[in-house]
Amino acid sequence: MSFLIAEVIVDVSTYHVDRPFDYRVPGEWMNVIELGCRVKVPFGPRNVLGFVVGLKEETDVPLNKLKAITQILDMEPVLTEEMLQMAKWLKNDTICYEIDALQVMLPSALRAKYEKTIKLQQGQQLPLEAQDIFGKRQRASFKEFERASLLPLLKQLVAENIVTIENVVKQQGNVKEIRMVQITADQQLIERASEQSSRAVKQRLLLQWMCQHLGEVFSPHQICDEAGVSISVLEAVIDKGAAQFIQEEVFRDPFTKEVSRTQALQLTDEQQVALQAITTAMDQQIAQTFLLHGVTGSGKTEVYLQAIQKVLEEGKEAIMLVPEISLTPQMTERFRSRFGEMVAVMHSGLSVGEKYDEWRKIQQGKVKVVVGARSAIFAPFTNIGLIILDEEHESTYKQEDSPRYHARDVAIWRSEYYKCPIILGSATPALESFARAKKGVYTLLSLKHRALHQALPTVFIADMREELRQGNRSMFSQTLIEAIRARLEKNEQMVLFLNRRGYSSFVLCRDCGTVVQCPNCDISLTYHRTTEKLKCHYCGYEEHVPQICPQCQSDHIRYFGTGTQKVEEELYKLFPEARVIRMDVDTTKHKGAHEEILETFGAGRADILLGTQMIAKGLDFPNITLVGVLSADTSLHLPDYRAAERTFQLLTQVSGRAGRHDKPGEVIIQTYTPEHYAIELAKTQDYEPFYEREMFLRRRSNYPPYYFVALIQLSHEDVMTAAEYAGRVADWLRGNLSNQVAIIGPTTASIARLQNRYRYQCLIKYKIEPNLIPVLQRLLAMYRAEWVKQGILMTVDLDPSTI
Ligand SMILES: Nc1ncnc2c1ncn2[C@@H]1O[C@H](COP(=O)(O)OP(=O)(O)OP(=O)(O)O)[C@@H](O)[C@H]1O
Ligand SMILES: [Zn+2]
Ligand SMILES: [Zn+2]
C-alpha cells in the first residue's frame, strides 16, 4: 500500500536538530497538498506550524511511528519553489535554522493566527456538493469543506477561479471589504422585476437604467446618483432579483496622497552610458552586478527609473530597495509618479494589515515594482528582471537577528536564479563593494558630475577648539551663525544635521565625574528633557533625574551633551524670526509624520530643517543652499573598525543635500578633530582618495575587505559561567580551524553587560577557510544540545556590521 509522505520543517527553533521531519498525508489531502504549503503537525506534545518542503512515497520512519499532518493551512502554496531553495542556501550561508529562513520570507500576517474563508466569485456557478455548503451565502468557512471531505473539490474550484481563499487575520485586522451592487446579466430578470413593480415609477426608472448596465458593478451611492433614485428604491429592486449586494475586496492604501505623473528625462551622457550597460545585461540575461558610483545629485535615481521602465516593457518585475523607506517618502513618490498603480511599497511604517495587502498584490501579480526596505528583497515575484539597492553602503541592509542575512547577498542569489542584473548604487560605496568593482567582480559605472552640471557644494571646516579658545562656548561656530543669518535674509532654506550615532545626552557629576549608568547594562542612561527622566535605550529601564550625585552626594550634577531639542532652543535664542522644523524620533512617532514634515519644508513653510540621521539621505529640495553639520566627530570615536568609513559616508551624504538645483550650495562641518582624514577628505567630497587611504589602514590591521571576519557572541547571567564558556568556544575554534586563521578572544563585548547578562565574544579573521561553516555548525549543534540548558545564549554572525 502506498502513502504520500510530506517532509516538513517545523516551527521549533529551539530544537537542536534542524532537518525536515516526515509526516503522513491523510488520504483526502493527497491531491491537495503542494510544496510550500503551511501545515499543522504534531510535534512532541503539541501541534506546531510547519512548511512542506518535500513530497515522497517512501520513508525510513517505521509506519507505526509515522504521524499524520493534522491540518493543511494553504490550498495555494505561500512559498514558491525558488523560496524553498533560497531557504536552504540561507541556512548554510548565514548558519541559521531553516525555519527562520522560511519565516523571514513571509509577511507577519501569515505567521500570526488567522482563519481561512472561501469566497464565491461573482457570477460563478457552483457544483451541487459545494452549493450545499454555501447555501445562499457568498462565503463559507474552510472548516466546512474540510468536514465534508471536499478539499480536492475545493482545490479544483480555486484552480478554476470559481472561488478564492482568503486568510482572515484574527488579531490584526483582515481583508478589507466594501459593499457593492452587481446588476444581473440576465435581461429576463429585469423584465420580471418590471412587471412586479408596474405601479412604482421610481423602481421602473431604475430598472430601465439597469438595462443599460447589465452585469456591471457599482457602489450603491453611484447607482442612486446616476439613476436619480433613493437607496430604498434600490433595495426594493434588489429584493425583486434585478441586482444583488456583493462584498468587494479593497486593498488598504498605504499612500496618503495623490501624485502627478512624470515622464522619463532626457539622460545625460554619463547616465546614458550607465543605462546602456544595464539594459545590455538585461537583453543578454546575465546575472551581472553593477556598482553605480555617482556623486550626490548625479541622477542615479533617474537611471533606476529608466532601467525599470525597460523591465516593465519586457513584462518582468523589479525590486527597488532603499535603506529605510519611511525616511525617504520622496523616493516612493518619484516611483509612484513614474509607474502609478504598478508600485507596491513595503516598509516598517505600514500596519500588519497593510503589509499583508501589499504582499498579496505582489503575489497575485497586481503590481510589477516593489519599493521597500530590507525585507522587500523577499518579494514573492516570479519573473524578476532587475534588482536595485540604493545607498548600498547602508548598514540597515544587514539583519541583526536570525537569519543574519545581508540584502545584497540575497539580491545576488536571486539575480542568479532569474539571470537578471543588479544595480548597487551609492555616492559613497561600502569599501567591500568598491574593492570588488576594482577587481572586476562587479562592473563599475560612474557618474562623476551632477545631472545639470551644478557644482558640488563648497565645504568649510569649522574648528571648534579654536572657537572655544576665542571664548565661544555655544554649539554654533561664528561661521555657521553668519551663514545661517545670510540665508534667512535671502529667504533660502537650510538643513542642520546633528550627528547622533553613538552619542547621547547623559547626566554627569561635575565634582566626581560620575556618569549615571543603567543598573542592568554597562551603558550610560540617556537624558529625556520632556519627561525629566533618564532612560536606558537598550533595556528600557528608566528613573527620575537625580538631584544629588549617587556617588559623592554633590548637587553639581547636570546633564551634558546635545539633543535636537536643545539645538532648537538655542536657534530660537539666536534667530527668533527663524521657522525651525525638527525631524527626529520624537517628532516622527505618528504615522505619516515624515511626509508631513518634508511637505511643510518642501512648500517653503520653514527655513531650517533640523534633524538627526534621518535627514541625511535622499532629500532633493531646490531651495536648500546651506547644510550645517553640528558635530562631525561623534561617530568617529566609536570602537568599530568602520567608524571612519561611516563618518565619511554620512558627511558626504548630508553635504549632498545642498545646491542640487540652480542655487549653489555651501556646507559647514563643525569638528574638534579637523585633522582626521575622514573629515579632511569629506571636504573635497572625493571618494577615491578616501578609499585608498582607508584600504591602506585596513590592510595594515588585517580587517575587511582584506580579511573576512566572523563574530561569536555569548552571554550568561553569571560572569564566571559566561567567561568559562567563551573560553571553551575559543579553545574549540583553535582546535578545529587551521592555523591560517586568527582567533581573537575571548574578550568582553563592547557593551560588557546588557540586561543583566555578561557578554563575551570571539572574533575570527580569515582569508580562506573551507572548514569554517562545518566547524561553526558543529559548534552551534553543541550549543543547542547542551549549553542552552545551562542558560548560555550564543550567536554566530558571518558578516557582523559592528565588532
Ligand atoms: N537627465 C536629467 N535631466 C534633468 N534633470 C535630471 C536628470 N537626471 C536627474 N535629474 C534631476 O537632478 C536631481 C538629482 O537627481 P537624483 O535625485 O536622481 O540624484 P541621485 O544621484 O539619486 O542623488 P543622491 O544620491 O544625492 O540622493 C533631481 O532633481 C533630478 O530630477
Ligand atoms: Zn559626584
Ligand atoms: Zn539597560
Side-chain angles (χ1 to χ4, degrees), residues 605-664:
R605 293 197 296 275
D607 307 302
I608 303 179
L609 176 64
L610 164 66
T612 50
Q613 255 67 3
M614 58 178 80
I615 61 169
K617 292 179 286 267
L619 300 187
D620 186 30
F621 291 116
N623 205 27
I624 300 177
T625 59
L626 173 69
V627 167
V629 178
L630 293 169
S631 46
D633 327 71
T634 36
S635 57
L636 209 51
H637 308 301
L638 293 178
D640 182 353
Y641 76 94
R642 284 189 174 115
E645 182 184 357
R646 297 242 161 91
T647 304
F648 176 81
Q649 286 165 340
L650 205 56
L651 293 177
T652 309
Q653 291 293 339
V654 69
S655 302
R657 301 310 111 208
R660 291 166 73 87
H661 293 239
D662 316 331
K663 297 173 189 159

Side-chain angles (χ1 to χ4, degrees), residues 518 520-521 536 539:
C518 172
N520 311 318
C521 314
C536 174
C539 74

